[in-house]
């Protein structure tokens, strides 16, 4: 049984978009809850970062589909398939990590403090955390998806 190179490459496109979108949707759902609770423009940072995960999948899917031709070899098709899996699974893991982190922040009713000062109505000292620390945690979680994108770009060539 031989494998169809066009099908394999197409599946790579589909997996990249679907899995990256799934990770982004999970993270965005928790990021949106966080943003609604904070009533601060800076609380939109996790929503934007979550959406970037979906863009990674679109980038790879576009690059793969632009290389699908009649002369596509099976070896190249497998590379395109694994490129889609690589970015997709990395962004899925990244999205679940971001979602879990934000879910924990929401569950414990944590809020960030900029410039070290919080209003008294914002709760006890144990529920405050630095905005810088918050963003750095999200950046490192987002980096997992970025690593998958880098690997996929290398595979697509």
């Amino acid at each position: 049984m031989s494998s169809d190179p066009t099908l394999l490459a197409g599946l790579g496109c589909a997996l990249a978009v679907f899995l990256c979108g799934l990770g982004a949707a999970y993270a965005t759902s928790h990021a949106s809850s966080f943003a609604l609770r904070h009533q601060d423009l800076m609380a939109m940072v996790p929503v934007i970062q979550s959406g970037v995960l979906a863009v990674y999948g679109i980038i790879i899917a576009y690059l793969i589909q632009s290389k699908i031709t009649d002369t596509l070899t099976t070896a190249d098709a497998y590379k395109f398939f694994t490129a889609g899996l690589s970015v997709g699974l990395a962004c899925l893991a990244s999205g679940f990590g971001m979602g879990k982190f934000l879910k924990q922040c929401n569950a414990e009713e944590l809020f960030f403090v900029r410039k070290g000062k919080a209003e008294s109505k914002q709760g006890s000292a144990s529920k405050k955390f630095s905005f810088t620390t918050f963003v750095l945690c999200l950046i490192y979680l987002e980096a997992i998806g970025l690593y998958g994108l880098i690997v996929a770009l290398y595979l697509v060539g």
Side-chain angles (χ1 to χ4, degrees):
M1 181 171 128
S2 66
S3 56
D4 181 16
T6 306
L7 176 65
L8 283 173
L11 285 173
C13 289
L15 285 170
V17 171
F18 176 74
L19 293 174
C20 288
L22 186 62
Y26 184 78
T28 301
S29 68
H30 294 293
S32 298
S33 297
F34 183 83
L36 287 172
R37 199 169 46 82
H38 273 81
Q39 302 297 316
D40 186 0
L41 189 59
M42 298 304 283
M44 289 300 292
V45 169
V47 176
I48 294 165
Q49 280 186 297
S50 301
V52 168
L53 293 176
V55 174
Y56 293 165
I58 292 170
I59 290 169
I60 293 302
Y62 175 78
L63 291 175
I64 291 172
Q65 70 82 26
S66 68
K67 295 191 177 202
I68 296 176
T69 62
D70 292 336
T71 59
L72 183 66
T73 66
T74 305
D76 285 339
Y78 274 111
K79 282 200 291 187
F80 296 157
F81 179 76
T82 55
L85 267 180
S86 142
V87 71
L89 291 174
C91 287
L92 182 64
S94 179
F96 279 154
M98 290 174 75
K100 187 171 180 168
F101 172 70
L102 291 163
K103 184 178 181 180
Q104 188 71 25
C105 289
N106 287 331
E108 294 184 16
E109 296 183 359
L110 297 174
F111 61 92
F112 57 82
V113 180
R114 290 190 283 164
K115 300 186 181 176
K117 297 181 181 176
E119 297 175 18
S120 60
K121 68 177 182 178
Q122 288 180 316
S124 67
S126 64
K127 294 190 177 199
K128 300 174 192 167
F129 63 95
S130 165
F131 180 72
T132 305
T133 304
F134 175 71
V135 172
L136 282 174
C137 289
L138 289 174
I139 287 171
Y140 287 120
L141 286 165
E142 173 107 26
I144 297 165
L146 183 62
Y147 300 150
L149 175 68
I150 292 168
V151 169
L153 287 171
Y154 178 75
L155 287 168
V156 171

